[in-house]
Amino acid sequence: MLKRPSQINLEKVPPSGGIWAPTIRCHKGRYYMTTTNRTMGGNFYVWSDDPEGSWSDPVFVDMEGIDPSLLFDGGKCYYCGACPARDGTPGISMMELDIDTGKAVSPIRFLWEGTGNRSPEAPHIYHIGDWYYLTIAEGGTQFGHMETAARSRDIWGPYEAAPVNPILTNVHTKNPEVQCTGHSDLIQDKNGNWWAIHLGIRIAQKYLSHLGRETFLSPVSWTDDGWPVINHRKWVEVDSAGPLLPSYPAREEAIRDEFDGETLQLFWNYLRNPCLRDYSLTKRPGWLALRGSALRIDDLASPTLLCRRQRDFACYMETRMEFLPEKEGQEAGMILFLSNQFYYKLVKRREKDGEYLCMEKRAEDFFQQVCRIPVTHEGIVYLAVRARRLSYTFFWGYGKDAMKEIGTASTRFLSCEVAGRSFTGTFAVLYATGNGQDCTREAFFDYFIMKPEKI
């Protein structure tokens, strides 16, 4: 969707900066995605007549704030977002928009400040029956997160708060597994059933989660006087009961990627704006080739790496790598990565006196080298990590059946709550670097496995 340099600039964007809260709407067969580049560029939208094809360059909108959303109603387009009133009161503002140009058609007007909790944000407006419904997130995105609602007969208000707010939250629940629910969007399926798509996190241990924000789907019902009720006013769990969903041929993520296609599978991510000439699936067919640049994993930049998000507390990750570094400092391997200051590294590195397999940990200003093992066999090495809810165990070897455990690490120091603002959670990373100079040889990865495990 946002692939071209002309669409997005993420240069030196800090962890969990950049793109925030994208929302998609469809009008007369055209799709619109509106969002915020939090660090650079402000609010904008892009459009496409084919959501799986190319999208337009950004159309920037002259309204402050974050979390924009569109409503097409009565032949007009309305643009709302978390934007304070003129006197600085936090809340939700809106204007009428010319969707073809991005220019304002009306003045910006303040709609609602919420129910009194901090950080009113993530607004969506819906015209359902005789009412305009405004739903927003409040309480911040962490453990005070919630969703509240208001409505009006007129799109410009005044908006009356729901008699029971919040309409979604896990703040007061004793549920130890799911927290931070909120930031919801309402949809109606083809069977007429209503649903809330919202955020939440799964807790690994008390107040700590390293899987980041995830998407939840909860059923919505309506009271006799027309107010939305999410998940029967119960707290959200990993599995929530609701109506039968329409069938859809969803594509499951592959457990094993053999790198035998012409393009990468969609679950792979880059960091910021990558230099694509350092990545290849054709240099050696059936292998991923990464040529390390001078950039390091610690740099607030785009080092040569591919990331796959960890989706399960218990899983097994493995790769087979061939890397023949020629100069001191050149390294490649696998990293468990939360940010450029919080990661666990398992790499093959060339040093002055030879090649070594190194396991290292970084948590902000704390650094530890767990092991430094001489590499005595040139060529292939196997690298693996076994994840559990509270720990990671690292393995390596010259053969798949000859791998040895070399160290462990706590999931605590890759949790979003320890690292500070970090919405994405932990990624498994395939990585190469010259540590200050470009690599003269690529690192080749034969496959990558991320397999859920039962414990």
Side-chain angles (χ1 to χ4, degrees):
M1 185 177 292
L2 299 178
K3 300 178 180 180
R4 304 186 300 274
S6 61
Q7 292 176 308
I8 186 170
N9 181 0
L10 297 176
E11 184 178 356
K12 296 184 179 179
V13 166
S16 292
I19 295 300
W20 279 15
T23 296
I24 295 179
R25 295 290 185 259
C26 184
H27 177 64
K28 294 183 178 180
R30 176 165 287 182
Y31 294 83
Y32 298 87
M33 188 279 287
T34 183
T35 187
T36 303
N37 187 333
R38 186 67 178 92
T39 310
M40 305 177 71
N43 294 313
F44 66 91
Y45 61 90
V46 293
W47 58 267
S48 176
D49 295 324
D50 176 9
E52 295 188 16
S54 178
W55 288 70
S56 73
D57 280 344
V59 180
F60 286 92
V61 178
D62 188 15
M63 191 168 93
E64 296 180 0
I66 59 172
D67 302 349
S69 182
L70 296 174
L71 173 67
F72 294 92
D73 183 67
K76 298 180 179 181
C77 178
Y78 299 92
Y79 180 96
C80 68
C83 176
R86 291 182 179 180
D87 64 2
T89 301
I92 309 306
S93 298
M94 186 177 72
M95 66 182 179
E96 186 183 341
L97 187 75
D98 183 336
I99 195 62
D100 294 324
T101 65
K103 302 298 183 182
V105 176
S106 73
I108 298 172
R109 293 173 60 176
F110 190 72
L111 298 185
W112 193 43
E113 61 184 284
T115 63
N117 290 288
R118 67 184 179 93
S119 302
E121 58 190 3
H124 299 296
I125 295 181
Y126 316 89
H127 191 179
I128 303 171
D130 296 329
W131 293 99
Y132 289 93
Y133 291 88
L134 173 59
T135 63
I136 72 171
E138 295 187 55
T141 58
Q142 296 300 315
F143 292 96
H145 207 196
M146 62 183 65
E147 189 77 7
T148 59
R151 71 183 183 186
S152 172
R153 299 280 188 184
D154 188 312
I155 192 170
W156 297 107
Y159 279 86
E160 169 198 6
V164 179
N165 266 322
I167 59 172
L168 168 69
T169 188
N170 274 32
V171 168
H172 304 298
T173 180
K174 297 179 181 179
N175 178 10
E177 189 167 13
V178 178
Q179 286 289 343
C180 306
T181 54
H183 203 119
S184 171
D185 200 356
L186 300 181
I187 61 168
Q188 188 177 29
D189 67 29
K190 66 181 182 180
N191 295 330
N193 298 311
W194 285 89
W195 300 88
I197 301 174
H198 60 86
L199 297 179
I201 63 172
R202 286 181 287 162
I203 299 296
Q205 53 186 308
K206 190 173 183 180
Y207 302 126
L208 295 177
S209 172
H210 57 281
L211 299 186
R213 291 182 176 186
E214 298 179 289
T215 303
F216 288 75
L217 184 67
S218 296
V220 174
S221 57
W222 297 84
T223 64
D224 291 340
D225 55 349
W227 289 102
V229 175
I230 298 178
N231 203 42
H232 317 291
R233 290 207 176 97
K234 298 178 180 179
W235 59 73
V236 171
E237 301 182 86
V238 171
D239 297 310
S240 295
L244 183 66
L245 285 165
S247 61
Y248 182 78
R251 289 174 290 185
E252 292 290 333
E253 284 192 4
I255 289 174
R256 182 184 180 107
D257 191 346
E258 297 283 357
F259 300 120
D260 54 2
E262 295 182 359
T263 58
L264 288 167
Q265 298 197 51
L266 290 177
F267 52 68
W268 289 108
N269 297 267
Y270 299 108
L271 187 60
R272 302 182 183 90
N273 296 118
C275 180
L276 293 179
R277 67 173 180 269
D278 293 332
Y279 301 76
S280 177
L281 290 170
T282 59
K283 180 87 174 183
R284 182 186 294 180
W287 296 66
L288 167 70
L290 299 181
R291 188 177 69 88
S293 70
L295 297 171
R296 305 170 175 85
I297 194 67
D298 310 73
D299 294 328
L300 203 61
S302 298
T304 306
L305 55 81
L306 282 180
C307 313
R308 184 173 182 180
R309 185 172 182 172
Q310 182 183 342
R311 297 177 59 185
D312 300 276
F313 288 123
C315 64
Y316 177 75
M317 296 164 272
E318 180 186 292
T319 191
R320 179 174 183 254
M321 180 184 75
E322 182 179 83
F323 180 51
L324 302 173
E326 292 185 309
K327 296 182 179 180
E328 182 182 352
Q330 295 178 353
E331 66 178 58
M334 184 160 60
I335 300 175
L336 296 180
F337 175 86
L338 183 70
S339 76
N340 61 308
Q341 295 185 328
F342 291 83
Y343 59 78
Y344 300 145
K345 182 191 291 188
L346 181 60
V347 295
K348 180 182 179 182
R349 179 187 302 139
R350 185 167 189 85
E351 300 184 5
K352 285 184 179 180
D353 57 345
E355 295 179 10
Y356 292 88
L357 191 286
C358 300
M359 178 188 166
E360 297 168 347
K361 307 177 187 180
R362 182 182 177 187
E364 205 165 44
D365 61 350
F366 170 79
F367 178 85
Q368 179 186 23
Q369 186 171 79
V370 178
C371 67
R372 180 175 175 270
I373 302 170
V375 176
T376 58
H377 294 59
E378 189 174 88
I380 299 293
V381 293
Y382 289 78
L383 309 174
V385 179
R386 175 156 277 121
R388 292 295 181 259
R389 184 178 290 267
L390 301 181
S391 66
Y392 296 108
T393 305
F394 294 78
F395 305 85
W396 90 288
Y398 299 114
K400 180 176 175 60
D401 298 325
M403 284 192 284
K404 298 179 180 180
E405 178 182 331
I406 58 170
T408 61
S410 171
T411 61
R412 169 183 296 273
F413 298 105
L414 298 188
S415 68
C416 306
E417 293 75 21
V418 169
R421 174 175 288 167
S422 182
F423 302 142
T424 57
T426 302
F427 284 80
V429 172
L430 302 179
Y431 167 70
T433 182
N435 278 311
Q437 59 184 341
D438 288 341
C439 282
T440 51
R441 289 184 175 178
E442 292 90 351
F444 293 95
F445 297 87
D446 185 20
Y447 62 82
F448 180 78
I449 294 171
M450 182 178 285
K451 180 181 179 181
E453 293 187 325
K454 295 182 178 180
I455 55 174

